[in-house]
Amino acid sequence: MKHSPFAALLAVSLGLVPAIPLAQVAPSVRPNPDQAPPFAEGQWLNTKDGKPVTLASRRGKPTLVAFWTFACSNCHANFPAYDRLLAKYRPKGVEMISVHTPEIEIERDVEEVKKRIAKYKIDYPVLIDNKNANWNRWKVNVWPTLFVIDGEGVARYYWRGELNWKGAGGEAKIGEILDKLLA
């Protein structure tokens, strides 16, 4: 029996069936892997002298790109997983770049973002995306979203939502992808 996309979405939203992250369905951001878009201009935090970070500067090394916002509890749930991934893969050259895209007005306040960066001990670069330019450019529609970018700047995988929600296994899957990229 064929179900409509609306029926499937309704079943997920009502909690009748578990959500399957799109990352498990589509191995790349687009049907044909494509270069990840460059970051739009914005204020950078946690970089030397506030200088921008580019994916081109990461050439040859996998990069995680995380979209988040500080009032999002789902985003907070991913921070420990990000810490574990970075503890394991940073020594192998993997780095994370995060993009803070606000959902509500208070999240546009850069000083509030800085407080949350300190609170959650975020030590990787954070791009302030108050105009949603990166959100739109990367075609993100859910907080949090995590992309795995290969050493050539190609978006190879993404995960929408909490990595480990109800045993989803996203952290392990991201680790598997990184292992393959580093092999």
Side-chain angles (χ1 to χ4, degrees):
M1 184 167 137
K2 198 171 188 182
H3 296 284
S4 75
F6 175 74
L9 181 60
L10 180 62
V12 168
S13 66
L14 293 175
L16 301 174
V17 297
I20 298 174
L22 287 180
Q24 292 180 354
V25 177
S28 66
V29 177
R30 297 172 183 89
N32 297 315
D34 201 358
Q35 290 301 117
F39 296 114
E41 290 184 22
Q43 181 178 355
W44 285 87
L45 305 175
N46 287 352
T47 65
K48 184 174 171 56
D49 299 321
K51 299 275 188 211
V53 178
T54 64
L55 291 174
S57 72
R58 300 278 312 140
R59 195 120 182 118
K61 300 173 187 166
T63 305
L64 300 172
V65 177
F67 282 80
W68 66 290
T69 192
F70 73 68
C72 167
S73 63
N74 303 97
C75 298
H76 302 169
N78 274 356
F79 291 151
Y82 296 162
D83 291 343
R84 288 187 295 271
L85 287 165
L86 289 172
K88 181 175 181 179
Y89 292 102
R90 258 187 180 157
K92 299 174 184 180
V94 174
E95 189 53 77
M96 178 171 284
I97 298 169
S98 71
V99 182
H100 184 272
T101 307
E103 181 177 18
I104 58 176
E105 195 57 38
I106 184 87
E107 294 168 322
R108 294 182 186 290
D109 184 335
V110 175
E111 292 307 312
E112 290 296 325
V113 176
K114 289 178 182 177
K115 287 178 189 174
R116 294 339 186 279
I117 289 171
K119 177 180 178 178
Y120 294 110
K121 299 180 174 126
I122 295 170
D123 65 351
Y124 39 85
V126 177
L127 173 56
I128 303 296
D129 190 32
N130 279 348
K131 295 181 182 177
N132 293 44
N134 292 288
W135 177 270
N136 294 328
R137 185 176 282 189
W138 285 67
K139 297 178 178 24
V140 176
N141 61 6
V142 171
W143 291 275
T145 295
L146 180 65
F147 290 88
V148 180
I149 311 302
D150 72 12
E152 301 303 313
V154 175
R156 292 293 178 185
Y157 194 83
Y158 69 97
W159 187 280
R160 296 181 343 161
E162 290 182 34
L163 290 168
N164 295 321
W165 184 75
K166 293 191 175 185
E171 181 179 351
K173 185 65 177 173
I174 297 298
E176 289 172 20
I177 300 294
L178 289 172
D179 287 337
K180 288 177 185 175
L181 293 175
L182 291 166

